[in-house]
Amino acid sequence: MMQRVKINQLLGSKTAMDSVVVKGWVRTKRNAKDFSFMEVNDGSCLKNIQIIAGADLANYPEVERITTGSAISVTGPLVASPGKGQSWEVQAREVEIISLSPEDYPLQKKRHTDEFLRTIAHLRPRTNKFGAIFRIRSEVIQAIHMFYRDRGFYCLSAPVITGSDCEGAGDMFRVTSLDPAEVARQGRMNFNEDFFGTQANLTVSGQLSAEMFALSLGDVYTFGPTFRAENSNTSRHVAEFWMLEPEMAFCDLDGNMDHGEELVKALTRHVMEHCAEDLSLFTKFVDKSLGGMLDTLVEQPYERVTYDEGVEILQKSGRKFEFPVDNGMDLQSEHERFLAEEYFKKPLFLTNYPKDIKPFYMRQNDDGRTVAAVDLLVPRIGELIGGSQREERLDHLERRMDEMGLSKADYWWYLDSRRFGTVSHSGFGMGFERFLMLITGITNIRDVVPFPRTPGAINF
Amino acid sequence: MMQRVKINQLLGSKTAMDSVVVKGWVRTKRNAKDFSFMEVNDGSCLKNIQIIAGADLANYPEVERITTGSAISVTGPLVASPGKGQSWEVQAREVEIISLSPEDYPLQKKRHTDEFLRTIAHLRPRTNKFGAIFRIRSEVIQAIHMFYRDRGFYCLSAPVITGSDCEGAGDMFRVTSLDPAEVARQGRMNFNEDFFGTQANLTVSGQLSAEMFALSLGDVYTFGPTFRAENSNTSRHVAEFWMLEPEMAFCDLDGNMDHGEELVKALTRHVMEHCAEDLSLFTKFVDKSLGGMLDTLVEQPYERVTYDEGVEILQKSGRKFEFPVDNGMDLQSEHERFLAEEYFKKPLFLTNYPKDIKPFYMRQNDDGRTVAAVDLLVPRIGELIGGSQREERLDHLERRMDEMGLSKADYWWYLDSRRFGTVSHSGFGMGFERFLMLITGITNIRDVVPFPRTPGAINF
C-alpha cells in the first residue's frame, strides 16, 4: 500500500511524481464538462492541492456527487499545473470517497464570522484562518522550547493544583473531589473528607515552584496552563490560558529585561521565518499594519522607563482617559496601550512600580516606596510580560508578608529558600495567548485558544 | 562586569582560561593548612567544580567559615586539576560570599532517603539524584516536542477544565468558583451561580479535543497535565500527571503501534545520547540492570499479541497471581508486568480488548466482542501507553453510546466529527511520568514529579 504524502510536501516538491496518494477534505468542487476540479486540504498547510478527476474514472458518477467537507483519498501523478497560483496538481487515477459530508455541513464556501465559528470551535480549525492560527500556535510552542534548550534552561512542570495563592488576587478556582450538591444537601463542608484534606485551588502562576528550581538548577522555565476565576467578559481574558515563566538565578532586573527582550524578538523572528505563508493571511486579511509592527518588534530596541516616568508622560499627554492617571494606581489597559502604541510606538519596559499595587515577593527598592517590578507593554495588547527581581533577603520578605497579612507558616518552604543559600534571582510571566494576538493581529483571545473557557462557556 | 560561566561549560572546556566567574552553591568544603577546597554546583550538571581558595585572600577568615549550602561567587583562572576525577578547577582570586547557609541546612553531606527528601521537595533538586531526575525530565520534554516537530505534527493545548468525561471512569476532580463552605452554609448548590453555569471538571484526557484537531490539521498531539481523583496511595499513581497524546488522521491500529514503538525508541535513544552523565547515576546507584533494559528498549522489535493470546499465556503460565486471570477482565499490573518482564522480556503491544472494559470511543471489531484497543506494556511499569483506533462510523458510535447510557446531546460536537468528513484515525496516551520511571529505574512516581499531588498531600 502506498503511503500518503502530506499536501505541504507535495506543494513544496521540486519535481513531478509518477504516483502519489493524497488524503484530505474537499474545500471546494467544480464540475466541468468532462472533469471535476477539487481543492483538497489536509491541514498540513494553508494552501489546498488541486485534484483533476476525469469522466473516465469508473466511479465518476459518485465523484460528481462529492460535497464540500467530504473526505477523499486520491491516487495519481503529481504534474505541473497550468492554472494560476499553484505549481502542482494531482491527476486522479483513482478517487476513493472515504466519507460524504451532508449538505448541512456548516463550513460552506463563504465568509463566516469569528463569532459564528466560536459556536463550532470543533470545526473551525478546518477554515483557512483558524488552521493558520493553530499551526502558528503550535510553532510558537516549539520555538519556546527550542529557545530555552539552546540557552541551557531546564523545563519544569509546575503543579496545577495548589494550596498557595502566588498573586494574592483572590480570583482562584477551587478544586474538590466532593460533590457540591452533596455538600449542600448535608449542609456541612468538612475539608478533612476532601481529597487533599484542605482547600485546594487551580494555580494562577508557576512562579513559586520555578523559584525553588532556579535556586537548584540555575535557569529554568515553566510553560503550562494557569487559571483566573475573574468574572470578566473582555476580549483579552479567558479563565484558562497558558503562561510561560522563566526564572533565573543570579539575575537582576536588568538581566530580566534583557532576557524578555531577547525572548520576544527571537519568537517573533522564528514565526516570521517559519510561518511565512500562514502569517501572510493575517497581514492580508486581519491587520494591514501587522508587517510593520512585526518589523518593529524584531528590529527596534525596547524602551526602558520607570513607572514614575510613565505616569508623568501619561499626565502630560493631554489625553482624556476613561480612568484618570494618578501616581500610585495600577495602570489600565488604555494607559499601557497609549504608552506603547502612541507615545513610544514600540514595546517598552516599565519598571519600579509602587509596592502597594504589587505582590509580596518583589524585591523592595531602597526608596521604601517601590519594588523592582517590570512589565513589558506592547502596542495593541498592553501588558505582555509581568515580572520582577525577587526579594531574596529573608528579613525584608518576612516583614513584607507581615505587612500584607500573609501567613508565614503557610509559606515555610518558600522562606526556606531565603534561609538556605539565597541569591538574587529574577523572572517573569508571559501570557502565551497575548503573544499570539500580538503577532497575528487577532483581537479576541477566544480566537487563539483551541477551546476557550469563559464565564458560562465550557463547551467542547 | 564579567559574565558568569555555567559549570557544565567550564568542565567541558578544551583549554585553560585566564579568568572566569563561577556562581553556585557549596556542596562540600574542606579546610587544609593554607587552602580551602570547595566543591561548587550550580545545577547545570551532575558534577561539581573544585575551587581552591588560598590563605592569601583578603577575606580568607570569612572563606574559612563558609558552610554547606552557602551561595558564593568565585573569580579566578580555570586551570588543569591535579586531583583525580576532574580535569579543571578554579583558583580563586576572589571569593564573594553571596549568602551563608545556617548549620541546620537539611542537605548535609550524607545519604538522605527518598522519603525524607519528599518532605523537603523544594530543596531536593539540589541533590545529585534529584538534580539528575529533573534535568532528564526536562530533556524528555524537549525530545517530545522535537520528535513531533520533525514529523510535521501540530501541538495542541487541550483544555484542562472540561464538561466532558472522556474515559467515563468517574474519578474526576470538580472545579468551582464557589466556596464549598458557603455552599454548605446556605444548604443549596445552584450551578447557575457557578462560573461556568454547570458542573465543571479537571480533564482526564485531552483526546476528544485532539480528535477534533486531527480531523482538521492531520497529525496533532497534546502534552499537558491530566488529573485523577482516585483515592489510591500506590507508587504508580499521583492525582496530577502529564500525559502525551498523539492523534493521527488516516491512521489505523497498526499505524498507531508503529508510531508508539518509534516514539518510545526515539525518546529513549535521545536520553541515552543527551543525558549520559545524569543517566550514569541511575545505572550505578538505582538499578544495575537499567543499561540492559535501555538497550532492549531501543534495539528489540516490540511484540504484538492480542488480548486473547495474552490471557492464554497468563493462564498457561502456571504462575499464581493475586488476581486470577479470566478472559474478559481488565488486566492487573501483576499480569502486565509478567508478560513484559518475564514472558517476552521486552515491551509488547496487547490489542483487541473486550469492548466491555473499554471506553465508548474505541472502534468496534467485526467479532462484536472486542474493540481496536492497544496497550503498550513494558517491564517494571506495566501499562505505559493506552490507545485505540477510534470509532469513525457514526451509527456504530451512537449505538455504543446508547448501550453505555451516555447522553448523545452532551457530545453533539463529538458526533459532528463523524457526521462531517469522518475518516479513520488513531491515537494513544503515554503517561509521561511512567516513561521517566522506565528510563531511570525510579520506582516511586512521587520522585519524578517536581511537587507531587497525592491524597492528603498538596504541599509546596
Side-chain angles (χ1 to χ4, degrees), chain A residues 6 139 149 160 219 240, chain B residues 6 139 149 160 219 240:
Chain A
K6 289 191 184 174
E139 191 60 27
R149 183 166 190 264
V160 166
D219 295 328
E240 174 178 341
Chain B
K6 289 189 184 174
E139 191 59 27
R149 184 167 189 263
V160 166
D219 294 329
E240 173 178 341

Side-chain angles (χ1 to χ4, degrees), chain A residues 14-180:
Chain A
K14 302 265 179 262
T15 57
M17 292 188 230
D18 278 353
S19 189
V20 297
V21 178
V22 186
K23 298 185 180 188
W25 294 272
V26 175
R27 283 286 177 86
T28 65
K29 186 168 145 277
R30 185 162 57 84
N31 291 332
K33 192 163 176 294
D34 294 321
F35 292 95
S36 266
F37 298 91
M38 289 177 282
E39 295 280 332
V40 171
N41 190 287
D42 65 2
S44 64
C45 59
L46 184 64
K47 291 211 177 92
N48 309 314
I49 193 153
Q50 178 163 274
I51 310 289
I52 318 285
D56 51 336
L57 288 172
N59 62 341
Y60 192 69
E62 284 172 34
V63 170
E64 278 190 297
R65 289 196 296 272
I66 289 175
T67 48
T68 299
S70 296
I72 62 173
S73 172
V74 178
T75 309
L78 180 76
V79 301
S81 174
K84 253 179 52 175
Q86 65 216 10
S87 20
W88 300 107
E89 62 187 30
V90 176
Q91 284 176 347
R93 211 160 34 221
E94 221 177 282
V95 174
E96 183 206 336
I97 297 169
I98 300 175
S99 69
L100 279 182
S101 216
E103 297 293 342
D104 64 345
Y105 180 56
L107 296 172
Q108 295 299 326
K109 190 184 160 73
K110 63 168 192 171
R111 227 183 126 68
H112 300 290
T113 64
D114 293 339
E115 289 72 24
F116 168 69
L117 291 173
R118 269 173 231 145
T119 68
I120 49 167
H122 59 306
L123 299 177
R124 66 180 179 169
R126 301 184 187 186
T127 66
N128 283 342
K129 183 172 174 178
F130 286 89
I133 289 173
F134 293 120
R135 279 188 299 269
I136 290 176
R137 184 178 167 114
S138 170
E139 191 60 27
V140 180
I141 294 172
Q142 298 284 356
I144 285 170
H145 290 293
M146 288 158 77
F147 176 88
Y148 282 108
R149 183 166 190 264
D150 285 350
R151 282 155 187 80
F153 281 62
Y154 296 107
C155 184
L156 156 80
S157 322
V160 166
I161 305 178
T162 176
S164 312
D165 180 2
C166 171
E167 298 298 313
D171 45 6
M172 298 177 90
F173 284 104
R174 294 160 186 264
V175 176
T176 172
S177 60
L178 304 177
D179 178 353

Side-chain angles (χ1 to χ4, degrees), chain B residues 40-58:
Chain B
V40 171
N41 189 286
D42 66 1
S44 64
C45 59
L46 185 64
K47 290 212 178 92
N48 310 314
I49 193 153
Q50 177 162 275
I51 310 289
I52 320 284
D56 53 336
L57 287 172

Side-chain angles (χ1 to χ4, degrees), chain A residues 43-44 130-146 223 267 270-271 274-275 278 432 435-436 439-440 448-450, chain B residues 144-146 148-157 213 217 219-222:
Chain A
S44 64
F130 286 89
I133 289 173
F134 293 120
R135 279 188 299 269
I136 290 176
R137 184 178 167 114
S138 170
E139 191 60 27
V140 180
I141 294 172
Q142 298 284 356
I144 285 170
H145 290 293
M146 288 158 77
F223 183 38
L267 295 183
H270 183 102
V271 171
H274 293 88
C275 307
D278 283 324
F432 176 57
F435 178 76
L436 293 176
I439 56 163
T440 58
V448 296
V449 180
Chain B
I144 285 170
H145 290 294
M146 286 157 76
Y148 281 108
R149 184 167 189 263
D150 285 350
R151 282 156 187 80
F153 281 62
Y154 296 107
C155 183
L156 157 79
S157 322
F213 272 66
L217 303 183
D219 294 329
V220 301
Y221 68 107
T222 169

Side-chain angles (χ1 to χ4, degrees), chain B residues 173-188:
Chain B
F173 285 105
R174 294 160 186 264
V175 176
T176 172
S177 59
L178 304 177
D179 178 354
E182 189 54 34
V183 168
R185 218 165 3 247
Q186 301 194 354
R188 62 183 191 89

Side-chain angles (χ1 to χ4, degrees), chain B residues 213-437:
Chain B
F213 272 66
L215 295 171
S216 303
L217 303 183
D219 294 329
V220 301
Y221 68 107
T222 169
F223 183 38
T226 47
F227 305 85
R228 295 284 189 286
E230 276 170 29
N231 200 349
S232 58
N233 254 308
T234 83
S235 61
R236 302 192 320 153
H237 291 90
V238 279
E240 173 178 341
F241 55 99
W242 279 57
M243 190 137 73
L244 168 66
E245 298 182 87
E247 188 73 31
M248 297 161 285
F250 310 108
C251 178
D252 62 14
L253 198 65
D254 285 329
N256 210 11
M257 287 189 273
D258 292 344
H259 180 77
E261 181 163 344
E262 192 189 350
L263 171 73
V264 173
K265 285 183 165 165
L267 295 183
T268 306
R269 206 175 292 119
H270 184 102
V271 171
M272 292 168 81
E273 277 169 24
H274 292 87
C275 308
E277 188 187 71
D278 283 325
L279 207 50
S280 71
L281 183 148
F282 299 96
T283 51
K284 245 184 269 174
F285 299 117
V286 174
D287 180 355
K288 302 267 183 227
S289 71
L290 187 62
M293 154 69 72
L294 295 176
D295 289 339
T296 302
L297 277 181
V298 297
E299 285 163 15
Q300 296 290 317
Y302 298 175
E303 207 66 40
R304 300 183 182 195
V305 295
T306 64
Y307 169 89
D308 287 346
E309 290 164 341
V311 165
E312 206 180 320
I313 292 169
L314 289 165
Q315 287 175 332
K316 289 189 175 162
S317 67
R319 171 69 61 104
K320 264 243 155 73
F321 294 108
E322 194 186 334
F323 295 88
V325 179
D326 189 33
N327 193 315
M329 76 184 279
D330 214 355
L331 297 186
Q332 300 289 323
S333 174
E334 56 173 342
H335 308 136
E336 295 173 343
R337 292 183 55 177
F338 174 83
L339 289 171
E341 253 165 72
E342 303 192 42
Y343 191 83
F344 290 110
K345 296 187 168 52
K346 63 176 181 178
L348 71 146
F349 289 104
L350 209 61
T351 60
N352 299 321
Y353 284 72
K355 68 177 181 183
D356 293 341
I357 57 172
K358 290 292 181 183
F360 74 98
Y361 53 71
M362 294 189 176
R363 193 177 200 276
Q364 294 151 57
N365 290 328
D366 292 341
D367 63 13
R369 186 180 61 87
T370 62
V371 288
V374 60
D375 283 359
L376 177 63
L377 312 181
V378 298
R380 281 203 295 103
I381 308 296
E383 181 189 334
L384 174 67
I385 278 177
S388 67
Q389 184 169 339
R390 319 308 189 185
E391 181 56 83
E392 86 281 13
R393 298 162 298 184
L394 181 61
D395 53 343
H396 284 70
L397 185 60
E398 290 189 322
R399 212 175 308 132
R400 188 74 191 131
M401 290 178 78
D402 285 340
E403 280 174 23
M404 296 178 76
L406 286 165
S407 154
K408 294 203 291 285
D410 287 353
Y411 291 89
W412 66 272
W413 52 277
Y414 187 73
L415 293 169
D416 257 8
S417 69
R418 274 55 171 177
R419 201 169 277 131
F420 305 126
T422 185
V423 307
S424 356
H425 58 289
S426 302
F428 59 77
M430 183 181 86
F432 176 57
E433 280 81 6
R434 292 210 177 159
F435 179 76
L436 294 176
M437 293 167 74

Side-chain angles (χ1 to χ4, degrees), chain A residues 227-243:
Chain A
F227 305 84
R228 296 283 189 288
E230 276 170 27
N231 200 348
S232 58
N233 254 308
T234 84
S235 61
R236 302 192 320 154
H237 292 89
V238 279
E240 174 178 341
F241 56 98
W242 279 58
M243 190 138 72

Side-chain angles (χ1 to χ4, degrees), chain B residues 75-114:
Chain B
T75 309
L78 181 76
V79 300
S81 174
K84 254 181 50 176
Q86 66 215 11
S87 19
W88 300 107
E89 63 188 28
V90 175
Q91 285 176 348
R93 210 156 39 217
E94 222 178 282
V95 174
E96 184 207 335
I97 298 168
I98 300 175
S99 69
L100 279 182
S101 217
E103 296 293 342
D104 63 347
Y105 181 56
L107 295 173
Q108 296 298 326
K109 190 183 160 72
K110 63 168 192 172
R111 225 182 128 69
H112 300 290
T113 64
D114 293 340

